[in-house]
Each structure stands twice: as C-alpha cells, then as structure tokens.
C-alpha cells in the first residue's frame, strides 16, 4: 500500500495510512492518479476540473458513493478525464454523473436515482460506458455532441426517456437494453448520427425509438417490443436507416416515417465489407448551415469546399491542378463561438471529399503535447500527431504553447518546433487546426519562422449577438424537451446584452451555463409543489426560472 502522490496510486479505506474519504485522496492526487477504494459507503460528492483520474473499487469489494441530499451531481468532471470502475452511485435531487468536455469511462458501475439525467455527457471528448446498470431516475443517459460508445448497458425504470442522443453526437450504442421508461426508449435529436446495434427497447410509455430534428441514426438488428407508441418514428427532415430490426406489439404503424423524411428500411443488412455509413457532402454542409449565426465562417468553409471539390473533379478529368494548399487552418476568436464544432464538421467534409481517409477528430491542448523534461515533449507531440493522421488534429488555446504564455521553460516551444516539419511532411494526411483568441494567435504564429506558412487560411469567429444567443438557448431548451415561456425572451436578450461586454464573455458557453441554472431553478420550484408534477409542468421552463438563473 502507498499513499504517495508521486506514485500515482492512492488508497481510500478505513484503516491507518489510507485516506478516509475519496475527497481526501483527490485533494492530493496528481494528474493520472489511480485511487483504489475499499468496501464501504461514502457519503460525499466529487467535483473535478482538468484532472485525469481513475476511481476503482478494490477487487471483490462493494463501494457505494452516496450523493443523496446534495444539490449537485455525485460526480462532476469538467475537462480532464474521469474513469469509474465497479462503483455504485446513489443520487436523488441531482444527476449521478455529469461530464462536460471531459473523457468519461464507466466500467461495470451501477447508478440509481437522480433528478434529470442520471448520466450526462457533453462536449466533443470521446466517452465509454460499458457493462453498467442505470435505473430509477428521471432520465437515463444523455449524450450531447460527444462521440464514443455505450455497450452492454441496461437503462431501466425511468420516469422520462431512457437514452437521449443529440447535438450532432455520433456514438455507437451496442447490445444495450432499455426498458420501463415513462416516455421514449431512445430519443435521437438535433442532427445526431448514432449507430444503434443489437439493442432491445421494451415497455415504454411512448415511442420505442424517436428520431427528430434532422437526425440520421443507423439502426441494425434491434428489437422494439411492447411499447405504447409506434416502435420506431422518423420525423420530417430526418434520415438514416433501419436494417434487420424486429418491431412487435407496438401501436400502428410499427415503423412510422414522415412524408419528407428520407430514412430507409430493409429486412437484411446490405452493408458488405468496405461499406460506409458516413454522411455525404451535402448533408455535412447542411449540418454546418444549421448552426446558429457564423455567416462569415460558413462562407469561408464553403469556399474551401468548393475549391477542393473542383480540384478533385479536374484531377479525375486528367486536367492540371495547381499546387495543393495545406488543409491546416487557424480558427481565431473568443471561446464558445463554435470553433470545435466547425472543426469536427470540417474533418468530415474532407473525408466526404476523399481528401482525408478517416475524418476523425482529435482535440488536444497544451497538457497533451508538453512533457516534463527535454525530449519528452517531442515524443508526446509526435504520438498525438500520429494518432490524428487521417483526420483533424484540433489544438485548442494553441497560444499557450508559446514561450510568453507557457510555463515550464521552453517545452511548449519544443512542441511547436516538432509540429512544423510534420505538418509539411504529412500535409495530405492530416488537417491541423489551431484555435484561440485572435490577439494571442499572433504571438503563436511568431513562435517559429515557418509556422505561419503552414496554414492555408485564418477564419475569424465573431461573438454571437444577444439574438443569436437567445436562439441557442431556445435550441438547448427544445433539445432537452423543455417548453420555454415566450415571456422569457426579453429577459434572456437583456441578460446576454449585459454580459457580452464582459472580458470573460463565453458566448454559447454562457448560454449553456444559464440554461443549466434555469433548469435547476425549475427543479427547485417543482419540488415545492408537494406532489408529482404533470408532464406539462415538467416541460415548462418559466420566465421566473430564467430570472432566478440570471441572478446567480
């Protein structure tokens, strides 16, 4: 046993020499720490920011983390990475797990209870949930934007939806069981593109699988049975496919496809070796166009796509093509202006054009590239670059790599010096996108004589207007199946106008924070009713909730 932070292994146990609580261990944990927890009930909640840590139950032990009665999630991770193994989580007045732009791994965990989603995963960092049981909460699992996989997991006995996937998320959901949900089993919305394979959806109060807001899921070999609504429903404007699925004992029709939806239904899987379920170029551009605001950004990206498309047509026709420009870009602007989302779409556009073979998205920051000693940084940077080949390497807050912004000697400069020749040597294999504040990116480009020439274009991301932020807030509410009081519009507009002058204005991030605060205010209001709210009351987001949120 060791409790040395430098050894990266910590023990939580009721015995001398160990940490008595998880919080005590985390207080001294360094990045990458592994915390082993022995049998017992731990009445505490955990908040992590930017830390990568593993919390694992000791082999054969039952570990219960009880967050009931707290007004915050049992586990909340912002940035960094959180791994939970073999742990039981109890919640009631809040979620059990919330991961925001954090890598979440849950392996054979049990989650019970919770107001709102039991597990919420937001952002663009991949997640992995395997072999878990989620039960007796308001909603099961909500995935907004994040890629990853959900496998061999059971979601049961929810008052609302079982699994919700939205905001362009494209995870793989495989061999899961969703049963006993008061509303829908799976709800796919807002341009989501999951692959749902080998799942069983049963005993839901409404549809088994509901697809809305231009989503395009791929359903393979799933079973939908004993649901009170139709088995699988595609709303207008949605696409995707249903292959070799069994739908029985549902309302009629078993599979409902709206008149102008483009989903296809086949009895057998037509995909052979080498087939692809990826979206085409027009659909990717439609996803870009569906983003609120950003007219200049959209025009710049479309111009790049047009040039690449015409060059490809000329190449196929045997006509000469000018020297190929690098696919590397600079995204300059304030936080929360959609840079990460546009970078993800750009990678998929390059794949659809045949420019990049995979189009995967790898987001990193200074901590992923910079090591702790001379030579370590070059190794870390080269490894990250190699992993990004075939897709997009997105370096957020890239200016922190410069000598002026960084810390720890010149190790950040070593990362830049390593990247420059690799960007040129592999210009046809990867797209490097660097992002950050406009002013700071000037210092970044000056850090190496050849750096600026590696980038084909700088795209400026302007701040969202108050009206655009109101629309973003409205989308968030609709995506969460809330009905926003129209009288809240002027309150929200005035609030966004007020904070837009703040030096730390976070654009859509501030809209997300305000929405979460409004949802909490609604939850507190409904709890005071002294009874189970109606579905209409659960969906209603009042102007009073927004006023309370704006005052926090």
């Amino acid at each position: 046993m060791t409790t040395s932070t430098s050894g990266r292994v910590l023990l939580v146990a009721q015995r001398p020499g160990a940490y008595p609580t998880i919080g005590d261990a985390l207080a001294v944990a360094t990045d990458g720490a592994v915390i082993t927890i022995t049998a017992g009930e731990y009445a505490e909640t955990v908040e992590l920011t930017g830390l990568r840590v593993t919390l694992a139950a000791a082999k054969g032990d039952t570990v219960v983390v009880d967050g009931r009665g707290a007004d915050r999630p049992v586990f909340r991770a912002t940035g960094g990475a959180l791994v939970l193994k073999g742990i039981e989580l109890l919640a009631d007045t809040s979620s059990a797990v919330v991961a925001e732009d954090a890598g979440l791994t849950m392996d054979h965990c049990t989650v019970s209870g919770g107001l709102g989603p039991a597990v919420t995963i937001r952002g663009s960092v991949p997640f992995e949930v395997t072999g878990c049981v989620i039960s007796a909460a308001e909603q099961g699992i909500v995935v907004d934007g994040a890629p990853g996989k959900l496998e061999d997991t059971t979601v049961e006995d929810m008052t609302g939806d079982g699994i919700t996937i939205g905001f362009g998320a494209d995870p793989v959901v495989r061999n899961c069981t969703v049963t006993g949900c008061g509303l829908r089993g799976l709800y796919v919305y807002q341009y989501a593109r999951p692959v749902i394979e080998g799942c069983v959806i049963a005993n839901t109060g409404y549809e088994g699988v509901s697809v809305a807001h231009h989503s395009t899921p791929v359903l393979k070999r799933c079973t939908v049975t004993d649901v009170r609504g139709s088995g699988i429903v595609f709303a207008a404007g949605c696409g995707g496919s249903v292959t070799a699925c069994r739908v029985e004992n549902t309302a009629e029709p078993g599979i409902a496809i709206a008149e102008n939806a483009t989903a296809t239904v086949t009895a057998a899987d037509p995909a052979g070796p080498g087939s692809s379920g990826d979206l085409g170029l027009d659909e990717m551009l439609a996803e870009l166009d569906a983003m609120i605001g950003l007219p200049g950004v959209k025009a710049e990206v479309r111009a790049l796509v047009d040039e690449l498309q015409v060059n490809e047509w000329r190449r196929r026709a045997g006509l000469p093509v000018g020297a190929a420009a690098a696919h590397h870009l600079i995204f300059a602007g304030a936080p929360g202006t959609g840079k990460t989302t546009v970078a993800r779409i750009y990678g998929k556009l390059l794949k659809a054009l045949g420019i990049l073979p995979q189009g995967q998205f790898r987001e990193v920051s200074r901590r992923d590239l910079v090591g702790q000693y001379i030579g370590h940084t070059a190794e870390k940077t080269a490894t990250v670059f190699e992993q990004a080949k075939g897709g997009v390497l997105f370096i957020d807050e890239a200016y922190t790599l410069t000598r002026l912004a960084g810390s720890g000697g010149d190790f950040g400069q070593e990362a830049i010096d390593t990247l420059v020749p690799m960007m040129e040597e592999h210009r046809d294999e990867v797209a490097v996108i660097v992002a950050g504040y406009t002013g700071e990116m000037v210092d970044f480009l000056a850090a190496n004589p050849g750096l600026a020439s590696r980038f084909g274009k700088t795209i400026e991301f302007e701040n969202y207007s108050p009206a655009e932020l109101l629309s973003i807030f409205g989308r968030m509410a609709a995506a969460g199946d809330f009905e926003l009081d129209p009288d809240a519009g002027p309150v929200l507009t005035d609030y966004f106008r007020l904070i837009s002058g703040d030096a730390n204005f976070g654009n859509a991030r501030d809209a997300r924070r305000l929405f979460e605060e409004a949802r909490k205010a609604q939850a507190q209001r409904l709890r005071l009713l002294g009874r189970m709210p109606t579905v209409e009351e659960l969906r209603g987001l009042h102007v009073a909730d927004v006023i309370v949120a704006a005052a926090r």
Side-chain angles (χ1 to χ4, degrees), residues 237-475:
C238 294
S241 62
V242 179
T243 302
C245 292
R246 183 163 59 94
V247 178
E248 58 187 19
N249 197 23
T250 71
E252 295 294 336
I255 300 177
I257 301 177
E259 184 175 346
N260 61 342
T262 58
T264 60
V265 180
T266 55
D269 188 352
S275 64
S276 172
D278 295 317
L279 296 176
L281 183 62
D282 289 341
E283 290 159 299
M284 286 289 96
L285 289 171
E287 181 179 351
L288 177 68
D289 290 339
M291 295 181 69
I292 292 172
L294 307 177
V297 172
K298 294 173 183 176
E300 291 277 15
V301 173
R302 278 189 169 273
L304 286 170
V305 169
D306 291 345
E307 181 181 3
L308 291 169
Q309 179 72 87
V310 171
N311 282 346
E312 183 62 23
W313 288 338
R314 288 181 62 86
R315 187 177 293 107
R316 292 178 183 177
L319 298 173
V321 177
H327 311 307
H328 312 315
L329 300 174
I330 300 167
F331 284 2
T337 48
K339 294 188 290 293
T340 304
T341 301
V342 173
R344 289 176 61 87
I345 295 173
Y346 181 65
K348 293 172 184 177
L349 285 168
L350 292 180
K351 180 182 181 182
L353 287 165
I355 306 298
L356 294 179
Q358 296 173 323
Q360 82 275 15
F361 183 81
R362 179 84 159 85
E363 181 179 1
V364 298
S365 59
R366 176 186 169 89
R367 69 185 307 148
D368 300 295
L369 302 175
V370 176
Q372 298 176 346
Y373 49 84
I374 295 176
H376 188 208
T377 293
E379 178 185 345
K380 289 184 69 174
T381 301
T383 298
V384 166
F385 192 94
E386 190 67 30
Q387 292 170 346
K389 277 186 182 178
V392 169
L393 174 60
F394 182 77
I395 306 176
D396 197 15
E397 296 182 331
Y399 55 84
T400 61
L401 293 174
T402 64
R403 290 185 178 95
L404 292 176
S407 59
D410 291 339
F411 295 156
Q413 181 68 32
E414 186 180 349
I416 295 173
D417 295 342
T418 302
L419 281 170
V420 169
M422 297 179 74
M423 290 170 63
E424 178 62 24
E425 182 178 353
H426 303 283
R427 58 189 294 169
D428 296 326
E429 302 174 66
V430 68
V432 176
I433 299 177
V434 295
Y437 288 103
T438 301
E440 282 83 349
M441 293 305 290
V442 174
D443 293 332
F444 170 74
L445 294 176
N448 181 291
L451 185 57
S453 64
R454 298 294 186 265
F455 295 97
K457 185 179 287 291
T458 296
I459 298 179
E460 290 282 348
F461 286 68
E462 297 183 354
N463 287 336
Y464 288 114
S465 69
E468 289 169 340
L469 289 169
L470 175 61
S471 297
I472 290 171
F473 188 98
R475 278 195 180 182

Side-chain angles (χ1 to χ4, degrees), residues 108-176:
H108 288 84
C109 294
T110 300
V111 178
S112 180
L115 183 63
V119 178
T120 299
I121 304 167
R122 295 194 185 97
S124 58
V125 183
F127 72 92
E128 183 172 337
V129 177
T130 306
C132 295
V133 176
I134 318 292
S135 64
E138 187 176 349
Q139 300 174 58
I141 301 174
V142 172
V143 179
D144 278 349
K149 63 180 181 179
L150 172 61
E151 292 185 321
D152 302 315
T153 290
T154 297
V155 178
E156 58 188 7
D157 301 331
M158 300 293 147
T159 59
D161 297 325
I163 298 173
T164 301
I165 302 170
F167 285 103
D170 57 355
V172 174
V173 182
R174 182 180 292 121
N175 299 333
C176 293

